[in-house]
Amino acid sequence: MHSEKASLGLRIAAWGGLVFLHFPILIIFMYAFNTEDAAFSFPPKGFTLKWIGVAFSRPDVLEAIKLSLQIASIATLIAMVLGTLASAALYRRDFFGKQGISLMLILPIALPGIITGIALLATFKKLGIEPGMFTIIVGHATFCVVIVYNNVIARLRRTSHSLIEASMDLGADGWQTFRYIILPNLGSALLAGGMLAFALSFDEIIVTTFTAGHERTLPLWLLNQLSRPRDVPVTNVVAMLVMIVTMLPILGAYYLTRGGESVAGSGGK
């Protein structure tokens, strides 16, 4: 009886926490469709799609969206290549300095964003590199690599090494083994890692603030809108877009990896 009451209390607390966290997001979604003459009133007085058209007709919004998509795509591609190579190099062999390299890979995501941003800015200034699109991509790739690395190395650890040995025994070379044995087992983990990295890069603001220079990504555009209260309806629409673009990859990554323990060749018993 006591355990049932405790379980019920935990469920209520969990759902209460979720409602508390998501209620402000629902408010933004609600006000993105609010009528023009009631932009600051509660509750909303009506429903309109006008602000979506207004938002997507503004050149500054479109440029910010385009830049954020470009940066997130390139940073994700870099992260997938480097994260996969790093995980392949570290998951099987023990060597001097392995733990140090693993720590260096994970550190960018563990440190506060402001520390990473200041460190990157200082490095770029030391090297004489002016902040811009290139520096934003480098900054985003540093923490996106961690996401891909964690997903891929977790899948590699669940993949039986006997499959690789059997492939080699049957005459396959390294490339054929990677293409037909390793890559199919890593497929969903790679895709999930890439989707998470894209979502993380698309809405990143702290590191971007230090590395952007004169460039303005969509999160920076939203930050700048805080000083323009007359643009609140358009700001709500753009904020809704950012949440949708980041939420969908995260949900997709969750559904791709939730059955990862049953991958072919899993070493689990």
Side-chain angles (χ1 to χ4, degrees):
M1 180 67 68
H2 290 293
S3 61
E4 292 180 359
K5 289 182 178 179
S7 178
L8 178 61
L10 287 174
R11 285 199 297 268
I12 294 174
W15 281 108
L18 288 173
V19 171
F20 176 78
L21 290 173
H22 289 84
F23 183 73
I25 297 176
L26 294 176
I27 292 294
I28 292 176
F29 273 67
M30 183 170 58
Y31 272 93
F33 300 101
N34 197 15
T35 54
E36 180 179 5
D37 59 343
F40 296 97
S41 64
F42 185 86
K45 303 301 182 182
F47 178 88
T48 180
L49 298 175
K50 172 185 176 181
W51 299 116
I52 296 178
V54 172
F56 284 96
S57 65
R58 288 181 48 164
D60 56 336
V61 174
L62 296 178
E63 285 297 320
I65 294 173
K66 179 181 176 182
L67 181 62
S68 290
L69 290 174
Q70 289 176 336
I71 291 171
S73 299
I74 298 173
T76 299
L77 180 61
I78 294 172
M80 290 182 71
V81 174
L82 296 182
T84 303
L85 293 176
S87 59
L90 294 174
Y91 93 103
R92 289 289 298 180
R93 305 296 179 188
D94 289 323
F95 54 87
F96 178 76
K98 177 180 177 179
Q99 297 303 321
I101 295 174
S102 299
L103 178 62
M104 289 177 62
L105 283 168
I106 298 173
L107 205 56
I109 203 71
L111 288 173
I114 190 170
I115 302 298
T116 304
I118 292 173
L120 286 167
L121 179 61
T123 302
F124 292 139
K125 290 296 184 181
K126 190 71 174 179
L127 296 174
I129 302 174
E130 289 298 320
M133 182 174 178
F134 172 76
T135 57
I136 300 175
I137 292 172
V138 172
H140 287 199
T142 56
F143 55 79
C144 287
V145 167
V146 184
I147 306 299
V148 178
Y149 168 79
N150 284 338
N151 275 271
V152 174
I153 202 167
R155 181 60 56 83
L156 285 171
R157 287 169 177 164
R158 290 197 298 265
T159 301
S160 175
H161 193 65
S162 61
L163 290 174
I164 301 174
E165 293 174 345
S167 175
M168 294 294 189
D169 289 341
L170 292 172
D173 57 27
W175 168 247
Q176 289 173 322
T177 300
F178 176 77
R179 180 180 177 185
Y180 295 110
I181 303 299
I182 300 176
L183 194 58
N185 278 289
L186 296 182
S188 60
L190 269 173
L191 183 57
M195 294 168 72
L196 286 172
F198 182 90
L200 189 63
S201 174
F202 187 82
D203 72 347
E204 181 4 82
I205 186 169
I206 300 177
V207 174
T208 310
T209 302
F210 289 94
T211 58
H214 297 294
E215 300 288 352
R216 182 177 294 179
T217 62
L218 202 56
L220 291 181
W221 182 92
L222 284 170
L223 181 64
N224 185 64
Q225 288 297 108
L226 294 177
S227 60
R228 300 181 178 180
R230 292 184 179 276
D231 278 348
V232 167
V234 175
T235 304
N236 288 332
V237 171
V238 177
M240 181 180 67
L241 171 67
V242 172
M243 287 185 284
I244 291 173
V245 171
T246 54
M247 177 180 63
L248 294 180
I250 292 172
L251 291 175
Y254 165 73
Y255 283 108
L256 282 171
T257 56
R258 63 177 179 172
E261 65 279 359
S262 59
V263 295
S266 174
K269 294 181 180 180

